[in-house]
Amino acid sequence: MGESKDGVKGKRVVFVTVGTTCFDALVKVVDSQEVKDELLRRGYTNLLIQMGRGSYLPTKSSGDDGSLAVDYFTFSSSIADHLRSASLVISHAGSGSIFETLQLGKPLIVVVNEDLMDNHQSELAEKLAERRHLYCARPPTLCQTIASMDLKSLVPYSPGDATPVAKLINRWFSIHHFSDWHAIATAKSAQLVRKYDQPFILSGDNKEWKSLLRPLMID
Amino acid sequence: MEKNSSRSFSNFSLGITCLIAFITIILVRVVYVIYRTGKPLNRRSPPQALATLIVLGSGGHTAEMINLLLVLQKDRFTPRFYIAAATDNMSLQKARVLETSWADSQSGVKGISAGFMQIYRSREVGQSYVTSVWTTLVATVHALWLMIKIRPQVVLCNDPGTCFPLCVIAFIFKVVGIRWSSIFYVESIARVKRLSLSGLLLYKLQIADQFFVQWPQLQRKYPRAHYVGCLM
């Protein structure tokens, strides 16, 4: 940690966010000595927790004694500034938080809330982890993930594109026959599979992808 | 005595016949609407302006919808009406900011030609299914009132909770002949392997004219859906 002339230390902030949810399990595990020690070991200096509707209150710490500086708040109208000034983001699995962080190019660990009844959110986190855009963990495995993560190996996320669906919606009103529509939409889908998903054929489950691609590909 | 009872009996059987005829007409009409759903409208020339209803969901859903609206042909899909859940304060605000920025960039146009409305939510996250029955009914009546005012020709939605009553009402409008609309449903980016409950219903009941998914596994599982890549 370097100190410049005007006394500003090299701050490395870990920002934890649970969005508008209640995710006490994450706040608790992040506030645990184990995780705080691991973050310190990995070179982070500050821990800022956005705890949302949770009831567990972390312990604040100024970090003057060389330990991790800890602070928290409940909500903020926009977490964009906190995300921008963070060196590492630990987030719940909400798609809004995930994509806001990825679009800012910040390293991200997504922690899946095991207490949620219908946990479809974990599908998105696992999919993006599979594509190495982020790390995916559960509260019990967070410490291990922090210890073993290699942030340089993360693949930057390219922003999505709403133009295909906008064009299809527009086309809908100019087409007269269903067969024309079906041909156009199918061709578009095949083009997108080739563009976005084909690169993962070799790294993913070959059988699944091949069966996926066969009906969608046109020669 | 016998004359009275035979007259009341013939009245009764007449009533039953009318009821059966009415129900049959409705069923035939419903079958016709389902048959025509998902098929283009057969217009001679592309339409000039379509009243568009945009249903906004919470958080991530609104961000996806805004991404879509940014690339949508604005002069075709106008006037635009935004509906968000009553408990969601951020979504309508974001929509207002978007519409204002569009109005500002268009000189000489009189103000914003968009409407912003709030609707009671059928079910909050974590709400028990028992109380959800009542809140869904209330939401449906409120939705009916809003839909009668708007009578959209296009419905754009991607949020499971808020849009379901509105899509069902749009379907009923088609059956009854109040307004034929084209319903486009974009399943959320968070749905990778399974559809949301409302998405599944809109797909299976063939209420949505076009059903878009953001991950290819879903198109494999639901062949009538179209994979359009990630919006975010």
Side-chain angles (χ1 to χ4, degrees):
Chain A
M1 272 147 274
E3 265 197 59
S4 62
K5 260 198 177 160
D6 51 6
V8 174
K9 293 198 204 96
K11 230 170 124 182
R12 290 189 76 217
V13 181
V14 179
F15 180 59
V16 179
T17 173
V18 306
T20 54
T21 67
C22 165
F23 194 178
D24 278 339
L26 173 58
V27 180
K28 250 185 230 165
V29 78
V30 159
D31 193 38
S32 70
Q33 204 52 50
E34 213 188 6
V35 166
K36 285 197 280 200
D37 287 343
E38 196 56 55
L39 288 174
L40 211 54
R41 202 173 300 138
R42 297 291 316 239
Y44 296 101
T45 59
N46 293 66
L47 176 61
L48 179 59
I49 305 173
Q50 181 265 318
M51 49 176 273
R53 280 190 269 145
S55 45
Y56 173 83
L57 297 176
T59 334
K60 286 201 195 193
S61 161
S62 61
D64 288 336
D65 54 350
S67 66
L68 199 66
V70 182
D71 195 6
Y72 66 86
F73 63 95
T74 49
F75 293 103
S76 140
S77 56
S78 159
I79 56 168
D81 289 332
H82 296 294
L83 290 175
R84 253 179 237 121
S85 56
S87 305
L88 171 68
V89 179
I90 301 176
S91 164
H92 75 131
S95 63
S97 301
I98 290 178
F99 287 109
E100 205 179 340
T101 309
L102 288 178
Q103 278 161 3
L104 287 170
K106 294 292 175 177
L108 172 60
I109 302 177
V110 172
V111 181
V112 175
N113 190 347
E114 302 175 297
D115 298 325
L116 286 180
M117 267 187 59
D118 167 33
N119 209 347
H120 74 269
Q121 283 184 337
S122 63
E123 290 176 11
L124 177 64
E126 283 159 22
K127 183 57 144 185
L128 293 171
E130 199 184 298
R131 299 197 169 185
R132 301 211 304 277
H133 295 303
L134 50 84
Y135 283 101
C136 189
R138 300 174 295 113
T141 65
L142 179 60
C143 194
Q144 175 57 36
T145 308
I146 295 171
S148 60
M149 69 187 180
D150 175 15
L151 296 182
K152 288 200 198 69
S153 73
L154 288 179
V155 175
Y157 180 77
S158 333
D161 185 11
T163 339
V165 60
K167 281 193 176 152
L168 281 178
I169 291 175
N170 224 24
R171 238 13 223 287
W172 174 256
F173 295 98
S174 327
I175 300 269
H176 295 292
H177 298 294
F178 177 69
S179 49
D180 296 338
W181 163 260
H182 188 72
I184 290 171
T186 311
K188 191 58 172 173
S189 296
Q191 179 193 31
L192 293 170
V193 169
R194 273 194 296 274
K195 183 176 177 190
Y196 292 123
D197 304 292
Q198 200 163 331
F200 296 99
I201 289 178
L202 297 173
S203 55
D205 177 352
N206 283 354
K207 256 198 297 188
E208 187 205 331
W209 283 109
K210 281 187 180 140
S211 72
L212 248 176
L213 290 177
R214 216 176 289 121
L216 294 176
M217 301 267 267
I218 52 173
D219 299 304
Chain B
M1 282 300 164
E2 269 192 24
K3 253 189 171 173
N4 279 342
S5 65
S6 69
R7 198 182 303 138
S8 66
F9 178 73
S10 62
N11 282 344
F12 180 71
S13 58
L14 182 66
I16 291 286
T17 314
C18 284
L19 186 65
I20 291 175
F22 181 70
I23 290 176
T24 311
I25 291 170
I26 295 280
L27 281 176
V28 165
R29 180 73 187 165
V30 167
V31 168
Y32 172 72
V33 168
I34 291 179
Y35 166 74
R36 286 278 338 189
T37 295
K39 296 190 174 53
L41 295 169
N42 233 343
R43 315 179 95 103
R44 248 178 239 130
S45 58
Q48 296 297 76
L50 298 161
T52 303
L53 172 63
I54 298 154
V55 187
L56 297 173
S58 47
H61 291 111
T62 301
E64 288 177 51
M65 186 55 88
I66 287 183
N67 261 20
L68 169 57
L69 292 170
L70 287 171
V71 291
L72 203 61
Q73 199 180 332
K74 283 169 265 307
D75 48 349
R76 174 173 277 183
F77 299 97
T78 191
R80 290 178 290 280
F81 300 93
Y82 295 86
I83 288 189
T87 48
D88 175 5
N89 299 315
M90 297 293 300
S91 297
L92 281 182
Q93 186 55 32
K94 288 186 186 154
R96 255 184 248 268
V97 167
L98 189 63
E99 287 286 341
T100 315
S101 71
W102 284 339
D104 286 344
S105 61
Q106 270 186 305
S107 52
V109 176
K110 48 167 171 65
I112 311 176
S113 68
F116 304 90
M117 281 150 278
Q118 287 190 308
I119 190 176
Y120 295 115
R121 208 151 171 209
S122 359
R123 184 176 165 266
E124 297 292 336
V125 174
Q127 188 181 342
S128 78
Y129 287 103
V130 176
T131 54
S132 300
V133 174
W134 170 247
T135 50
T136 306
L137 281 173
V138 171
T140 312
V141 171
H142 188 216
L144 188 63
W145 167 242
L146 291 173
M147 287 291 277
I148 287 174
K149 284 210 289 189
I150 304 173
R151 285 192 305 278
Q153 291 159 289
V154 175
V155 179
L156 290 179
C157 47
N158 74 341
D159 177 65
T162 326
C163 77
F164 189 71
L166 294 165
C167 289
V168 169
I169 291 169
F171 181 82
I172 292 173
F173 279 10
K174 282 180 179 177
V175 169
V176 178
I178 291 177
R179 173 78 95 189
W180 192 278
S181 52
S182 301
I183 301 173
F184 300 99
Y185 181 81
V186 184
E187 185 58 279
S188 157
I189 197 171
R191 294 289 177 170
V192 181
K193 295 183 188 154
R194 294 176 290 142
L195 292 183
S196 57
L197 175 62
S198 306
L200 191 62
L201 287 171
L202 289 174
Y203 179 86
K204 293 282 185 194
L205 298 176
Q206 302 199 43
I207 291 177
D209 283 277
Q210 285 305 319
F211 197 98
F212 299 109
V213 293
Q214 300 190 47
W215 295 99
Q217 291 101 306
L218 287 175
Q219 177 165 352
R220 185 86 179 97
K221 213 168 159 188
Y222 303 100
R224 276 182 290 114
H226 293 286
Y227 166 55
V228 287
C230 292
L231 263 60
M232 295 293 289

